[in-house]
Amino acid sequence: MRNPLPALARALGTRPWLMKLAAAVVWADARLHRVSRGRVSLVGIAGLPSLRLTTRGRRSGLPRDNNLLYLPHGGDFVVTGSNWGRQRDPGWTFNLRADPHVTVLVRGGTVNATARELTGAEHEAMWRELLAFWPGYAMERAGAGRELPIFVLTPGDPPTGEVG
């Protein structure tokens, strides 16, 4: 029997009222992810892939963690800076642009990765894949009034210094 939760989550993800719950969802998800050491997240409970991204703060140099929905793409992780439909890119996108070396906690395991922001035709092709995966991104892009940045996180390259 197929898990009905991913389809339900995708349907709920297209509802504008969900964006109003962003702060509560982010708070609860961060705690759940932390206490389970990356094995459980709200997104994961809904049957969708999630990861905990650790970047280096571009100003502070300190580790910064964010739980994100991701699109599995071969051995890579694709993440989108939707920021729940807000007008500004999320802070982690600025951190990635300043230092692309990150740590990813996924399914209870930690991997080092390097981020690459997609542009042009590559961005457009991946955007279509992302919309098929998470239709709510269309609503978030419309609400934000901006192009949503897309990053591919490729495992394997060690971060410079201690990230997480």
Side-chain angles (χ1 to χ4, degrees):
M1 178 182 213
R2 273 185 56 162
N3 181 352
L5 292 179
L8 176 61
R10 284 182 177 95
L12 291 176
T14 62
R15 304 297 191 263
W17 56 263
L18 183 67
M19 290 193 301
K20 294 177 183 169
L21 299 175
V25 170
V26 169
W27 181 88
D29 196 43
R31 268 91 195 142
L32 184 58
H33 207 271
R34 187 172 299 125
V35 299
S36 71
R37 295 187 183 146
R39 289 183 207 61
V40 180
S41 69
L42 291 178
V43 172
I45 290 170
L48 298 168
S50 71
L51 58 79
R52 185 164 190 85
L53 175 69
T54 302
T55 60
R56 182 178 308 284
R58 68 189 181 286
R59 293 186 194 138
S60 69
L62 298 174
R64 301 294 182 211
D65 296 323
N66 292 274
N67 289 2
L68 303 171
L69 172 68
Y70 76 91
L71 170 65
H73 199 264
D76 296 336
F77 311 100
V78 178
V79 293
T80 307
S82 66
N83 206 13
W84 292 82
R86 293 185 180 97
Q87 291 180 343
R88 187 173 191 270
D89 287 350
W92 60 264
T93 63
F94 298 100
N95 294 342
L96 279 183
R97 290 173 183 136
D99 181 358
H101 302 289
V102 300
T103 302
V104 176
L105 177 61
V106 62
R107 296 181 298 276
T110 302
V111 296
N112 294 326
T114 301
R116 182 174 63 88
E117 186 168 5
L118 302 183
T119 59
E122 221 180 0
H123 182 279
E124 288 308 309
M126 187 60 73
W127 178 248
R128 288 188 295 276
E129 287 187 50
L130 284 165
L131 285 180
F133 170 72
W134 186 255
Y137 283 141
M139 175 187 65
E140 293 179 47
R141 182 170 77 173
R146 61 181 170 83
E147 198 67 40
L148 302 184
I150 300 171
F151 293 87
V152 175
L153 309 176
T154 301
D157 292 340
T160 56
E162 190 65 33
V163 174

